[in-house]
Amino acid sequence: MFNQIKYCKIFFGIIIFLPFNLMASTDFFKTPISLSGIIEPAETLKVQSSAGGRIIVLNVKENQRVSKGQLLLSLKNDSQKRKLELSRLQLKINENNVQDLETNLRDIQRRLTEEQTLFEQGSSTRSQYDSLQLQYRRGEISLKNTKLTLERSNQELAMSMEALDDTQLFAKIGGIIVAKSVEEGEIISPGAVLFQIIDINQVEIPILVEEEDLPMIREGQSVVFTTPSYRNEEFSGKIERISWTSDPETGLFPLYVKATNPGLKLRSGMSTKVYLLKQK
């Protein structure tokens, strides 16, 4: 009886642990290849202003985390405001011109209809009728040109309003401001680089590999990597892409590892040792 119980325990133990052994058979192992690389941000953005002016409010500072759409600074740009006012004034003038020309053209058309009736009745001359027809054709051309001018005025107004909106500068990506080259009260020119923002929620590790190692590497392959800052911790990532051409200086082939950054422990410039993973 005792032996039967013992054998049952062994039997059920094998059944219970068999699935775990099967799962372990599909575990990954590190290949003999280890590669070195430097951590870079997943995205880096140099923030420029398309408008110039004096910085009246600076909302952020260096090393600050910002979210996408957050206001970075506000500019005072009196010349752009004057340009916007002139655009609005010109638009109003062109709108009035179009209305006047349309009214005038309707009046000529009414007179032309009356003149045609008089001409057919013999109460008017051909020259008078032809003269009104010429006036009408010129009025049509003038109205068409003025409508084109009105359309351009609308476009210029939209551009002026957009340029005025640029006096408020917003972050186009979320991340950390790692460089700031302006101060409050400073006058900047259009196109000046004001900030540099990095998205460090994900990181990229560029690596150069030997030609003979390429057969062991594929896009989407899992990797683990370590960094001297966290000696006892491994981070996971995947090979995002492999270059089709070698580096002209070294003859090595660039590949790029993409990884998440849990707890934002990883920083740009950290050195890494990367280990390729393969299924057992």
Side-chain angles (χ1 to χ4, degrees):
M1 182 68 179
F2 175 77
N3 289 334
Q4 288 179 340
I5 295 173
K6 180 179 179 182
Y7 291 142
C8 287
K9 287 182 178 180
I10 294 172
F11 176 74
F12 284 111
I14 292 172
I15 291 176
I16 291 171
F17 287 105
L18 183 59
F20 291 97
N21 291 331
L22 291 174
M23 290 175 62
S25 67
T26 59
D27 283 348
F28 290 95
F29 70 94
K30 294 179 183 178
T31 69
I33 303 176
S34 64
L35 307 165
S36 298
I38 301 296
I39 291 175
E40 295 181 358
E43 186 175 6
T44 300
L45 177 68
K46 290 183 178 180
V47 181
Q48 297 173 278
S49 173
S50 59
R54 184 183 298 277
I55 300 174
I56 54 175
V57 179
L58 187 60
N59 300 82
V60 293
K61 56 187 178 181
E62 200 164 328
N63 290 325
Q64 179 179 334
R65 292 190 66 183
V66 296
S67 55
K68 184 178 179 179
Q70 183 173 336
L71 181 63
L72 303 177
L73 60 78
S74 298
L75 295 173
K76 184 179 181 182
N77 192 331
D78 292 335
S79 63
Q80 191 58 49
K81 287 181 179 179
R82 287 194 295 270
K83 187 176 180 180
L84 178 61
E85 290 170 1
L86 288 172
S87 295
R88 284 175 173 158
L89 179 60
Q90 188 61 53
L91 178 66
K92 188 64 178 175
I93 291 171
N94 290 332
E95 286 175 341
N96 291 335
N97 287 341
V98 168
Q99 291 176 0
D100 291 343
L101 286 170
E102 286 176 337
T103 301
N104 186 53
L105 197 61
R106 285 194 298 269
D107 181 60
I108 295 174
Q109 189 175 30
R110 178 186 56 79
R111 289 164 52 201
L112 185 59
T113 302
E114 293 175 352
E115 192 67 30
Q116 184 178 7
T117 303
L118 292 173
F119 174 69
E120 291 172 350
Q121 293 173 353
S123 302
S124 177
T125 63
R126 181 74 189 188
S127 62
Q128 288 175 314
Y129 179 64
D130 290 344
S131 177
L132 277 174
Q133 279 189 318
L134 181 60
Q135 287 184 45
Y136 186 78
R137 285 195 293 270
R138 286 174 175 172
E140 283 184 317
I141 294 171
S142 181
L143 178 60
K144 181 180 179 181
N145 290 336
T146 306
K147 282 184 175 180
L148 289 174
T149 303
L150 177 61
E151 186 178 341
R152 286 195 295 270
S153 295
N154 271 308
Q155 292 172 351
E156 290 172 1
L157 178 61
M159 291 173 61
S160 295
M161 292 178 69
E162 185 178 346
L164 188 63
D165 287 341
D166 286 343
T167 57
Q168 286 190 314
L169 193 62
F170 298 90
K172 293 183 179 179
I173 64 169
I176 300 171
I177 296 178
V178 294
K180 178 177 70 69
S181 57
V182 291
E183 298 295 337
E184 198 164 282
E186 186 175 337
I187 297 175
I188 63 170
S189 302
V193 177
L194 311 177
F195 307 98
Q196 182 168 302
I197 301 176
I198 61 170
D199 178 6
I200 204 72
N201 289 308
Q202 283 191 317
V203 297
E204 186 175 77
I205 307 172
I207 298 170
L208 295 174
V209 298
E210 299 281 354
E211 180 180 348
E212 56 265 27
D213 292 333
L214 286 176
M216 299 183 64
I217 302 170
R218 58 178 175 80
E219 288 185 2
Q221 186 171 356
S222 296
V223 304
V224 293
F225 60 94
T226 59
T227 178
S229 301
Y230 302 96
R231 296 181 184 277
N232 300 320
E233 189 170 353
E234 285 187 343
F235 300 89
S236 60
K238 285 190 176 182
I239 297 175
E240 185 180 53
R241 63 189 190 278
I242 304 169
S243 176
W244 288 96
T245 58
S246 64
D247 181 77
E249 294 184 2
T250 63
L252 303 176
F253 285 82
L255 65 83
Y256 301 87
V257 170
K258 201 70 166 288
T260 57
N261 188 1
L264 297 184
K265 292 180 179 179
L266 304 173
R267 295 173 181 258
S268 179
M270 284 183 173
S271 60
T272 62
K273 184 71 72 174
V274 180
Y275 302 91
L276 305 177
L277 297 181
K278 276 198 169 183
Q279 285 189 336
K280 291 182 179 179

